[in-house]
Amino acid sequence: MFFFISLLLLKYSKQGFLLEKQLQDFRTAGTHTLAAKVFLRNVIITCNGENIKSSIATQFNNYSIGFRMHALEPLIGNGIFASEGERWKASREMLRPQFSREQVSHVQTLEPHFKNFAREIRKLNGKEFNIQDYFHKITIDTSSEFLFGESTNTLTSASNDKFQFADAFNKVQDTLTEKFMLGPLHWVSNSKEFQGHIKEIHDAVKFYVDKALETQEEKLQERSQDNYIFLYELVKKTRDPKVLQDELLSILLAGRNTTAGLLSFLFLELSRNPRVWSKLKEDIYESFGQGSSDELEKITFESMKRCTYLKYCINEALRLYPPISRNVRVSKKNTTLPRGGGKYGDSAIFVPKGTIVMMHIYSNHRQKDVYGEDADEFNPERWENLKPGWAFMPFGSGPRICLGQQFALTEASYITIRILQTFPHITGNNPQYPPRKVSNATMRLMDGCIVTLK
Ligand code: HEM
Ligand SMILES: *[C@@H]1O[C@H](CO)[C@@H](O)[C@H](O)[C@H]1NC(C)=O
Ligand SMILES: *[C@@H]1O[C@H](CO)[C@@H](O)[C@H](O)[C@H]1NC(C)=O
Ligand SMILES: *[C@@H]1O[C@H](CO)[C@@H](O)[C@H](O)[C@H]1NC(C)=O
Ligand SMILES: *[C@@H]1O[C@H](CO)[C@@H](O)[C@H](O)[C@H]1NC(C)=O
């Protein structure tokens, strides 16, 4: 049947325990690297840090990103997230500087969206709800504002044009995931509905791109003075509307579900660990007060970085639940990985050209020889003295390392701080633990994250 799906062990995937199953397979086999042939394709699945480092960093040039390129093309064309070689290099060079400049200003633009979020939660009057849905809303609202200068505002409106953009964007991703999993058969999945949604999204983005291209430079300058708008900065680098569209959508695609995933898994753990919740609350109140309006300006990019317990909690959520829990590369020539061969698995193995190398970040982050016997437990304190090296890479590594790492950490930190300030009490109602997960592309909670906030 389908190519990738078989690799992903359909049954466990449907039940939401695929990642656990693969972790257990590594542990019971006492190995970190497994090689197999699936439909005549060589496949290597590895959670070894040296091997992962090799395929995404030190031997970068020997690998391609594989099917991702074709699967994502209908939405993001040649944008950074789906391109390789010279094209990718040009994208990366153009986008990288934009990400260092936004860091400071990003914080202020978050507050209005948090207020919308808090208003919706208050309306629930202490009833339980799925906070994962709200994290998906707030992250598309904040990223659309940052990217286009106008927010989807899914947290305020029930059915307007901008909400439809968000809806179409969600639906398109389901098909893109399907394409990704079909591998070389990606073209099979291409419904009329899908094409319609793609057109809707492209039209909406084109509207903002055209507007930016028509606006005089001084006007743009003015507008991005109080608010950093990615598009307005980018038109200084290129005036090609297709390039602008591809890059903006790449960033939206790369940044939205990943950040929502981090927050959802963090709050799942916080709702189960009253001790951690209290300690985090103390830490936050000590640094930033309890959220009165005159205290809000204390929450800056710099001051959040100094909030150590918050940092530990976020690291621990990223460790146990890396939003990109598996990543894939395909070898472009005969090469080797440094580990997995020999009697003890500590010598190199041969990687024939065309091998799919699946990097199991989820298992890499749970190695007992690095993290100890409690590797599967949520314990933020472990970060006090931890130097995990190649056993922690939620944002990847090497030349394609995540461009939005600071953006994501800033946003997740800010939202967490504001939630604990505004709602001091949390309870969770998520009986299944470890939680069932959907992890075809980015990882999310299959049953949501059910909490009450007061
Ligand atoms: C917790 C949140 C996030 C996680 C865990 C994450 C993780 C990753 C990972 C693992 C990669 C590397 C993919 C690969 O090597 O194949 C990546 C790439 C990327 N990320 Fe993120 N990301 C997050 C949030 C964001 C945000 C918020 C943005 C933008 C606002 C962003 C923008 C990008 C871009 C543009 C790339 C492609 C870089 C390239 O190919 O050169 N990410 N991300
Ligand atoms: C793999 O990449 C490294 C560094 O880019 C290079 O030195 C090496 O020769 C490559 N291996 C093969 C088999 O081409
Ligand atoms: C991202 O989240 C949206 C909204 O919850 C969902 O519809 C979409 O399928 C997700 N995309 C991926 C790649 O998981
Ligand atoms: C993704 O995973 C879920 C459950 O883990 C599965 O039921 C579903 O069919 C998969 N989606 C796609 C598009 O293959
Ligand atoms: C690559 O390795 C295969 C053996 O798996 C061999 O038959 C082939 O000649 C090699 N190709 C090159 C270019 O070395």
Side-chain angles (χ1 to χ4, degrees), residues 68 80 88 92 251 254-255 258 327 329 394-396 400 402 404 407:
R68 180 165 106 200
I80 183 165
W88 164 77
R92 180 111 186 160
I251 295 167
T258 42
N327 200 352
R329 292 289 194 266
F395 294 101
R400 291 193 88 123
C402 179
F407 186 100

Side-chain angles (χ1 to χ4, degrees), residues 148-187:
F148 311 120
E150 179 127 4
S151 175
T152 47
N153 277 331
T154 58
L155 281 167
T156 59
S157 48
S159 63
N160 63 19
D161 315 349
K162 288 172 208 141
F163 190 82
Q164 274 175 14
F165 172 86
D167 202 39
F169 192 73
N170 288 343
K171 290 196 175 123
V172 156
Q173 288 181 71
D174 294 335
T175 306
L176 295 182
T177 302
E178 205 172 271
K179 282 175 165 291
F180 178 64
M181 297 181 68
L182 285 164
L185 296 176
H186 58 88
W187 46 271

Side-chain angles (χ1 to χ4, degrees), residues 5 10 12-18 174-175 177-179 181 437-440 446:
I5 296 182
L10 206 54
Y12 295 100
S13 169
K14 280 232 157 69
Q15 293 171 346
F17 291 120
L18 175 63
D174 294 335
T175 306
T177 302
E178 205 172 271
K179 282 175 165 291
M181 297 181 68
K437 295 175 277 289
V438 183
S439 53
N440 301 330
M446 190 177 257

